[in-house]
Amino acid sequence: MSRYARIYAAVRSVPSGRVSTYGLIAEIAGLPGRARLVGTALRKAPDDLDLPWHRVLNASGRISFAAGSDLAALQRARLEEEGVPFLRGRVNLRRYGYPARDEHLDAALWSFDGSL
DNA sequence: CAAATGACGGGGT
DNA sequence: AACCCCGCCATTT
């Protein structure tokens, strides 16, 4: 399985109404420390894959697209649409982050491997 | 092949 | 919080 395929699978594992981060997605995909690669993979992702790319934020809970850009507006709109609120331009990862503190990373890894 | 680029992240100021 | 700076590394010039 290619690195991109694992990244896409990890992105698909983020539930609606929750958000993850580039770094966490990389870790779940078995590519620790390669947050930038997640961005590269999402940029190159074919549209027909229908990935929930909008659920991936940076480590500060902020949208990584330039403020005011169309993509930034779309990402925020899609997140708010599924119940993820923004406070002063950022999402509270404590509440909406996936995997949450009690949903240990090991558990996320396990379910990820099982849903391949 | 060398240099630049970037949907990142962490540490320091 | 807001910057700045630097390490990271696959991709693209």
Side-chain angles (χ1 to χ4, degrees):
Chain A
M1 198 179 185
S2 72
R3 288 176 298 186
Y4 280 14
R6 292 204 306 275
I7 288 170
Y8 296 154
V11 171
R12 275 192 294 270
S13 78
V14 182
S16 174
R18 307 283 299 279
V19 296
S20 192
T21 68
Y22 296 96
L24 249 7
I25 291 295
E27 211 164 322
I28 292 171
L31 300 161
R34 285 192 248 140
R36 299 191 88 131
L37 184 62
V38 173
T40 304
L42 286 180
R43 177 166 51 79
K44 297 194 64 195
D47 294 359
D48 55 33
L49 284 184
D50 249 13
L51 292 177
W53 57 268
H54 58 285
R55 297 183 189 136
V56 185
L57 301 172
N58 62 35
S60 354
R62 295 177 168 284
I63 286 172
S64 282
F65 294 113
S69 65
D70 289 349
L71 263 56
L74 175 62
Q75 183 170 19
R76 176 165 177 159
R78 288 180 73 173
L79 282 175
E80 289 177 328
E81 185 73 17
E82 56 188 44
V84 178
F86 280 76
L87 228 42
R88 295 193 290 307
R90 58 193 218 90
V91 170
N92 186 334
L93 295 179
R94 289 288 171 118
R95 283 194 230 176
Y96 299 94
Y98 176 86
R101 223 214 286 319
D102 54 343
E103 295 164 325
H104 236 319
L105 185 59
D106 290 339
L109 285 166
W110 196 92
S111 63
F112 169 74
D113 287 335
S115 64
L116 242 54

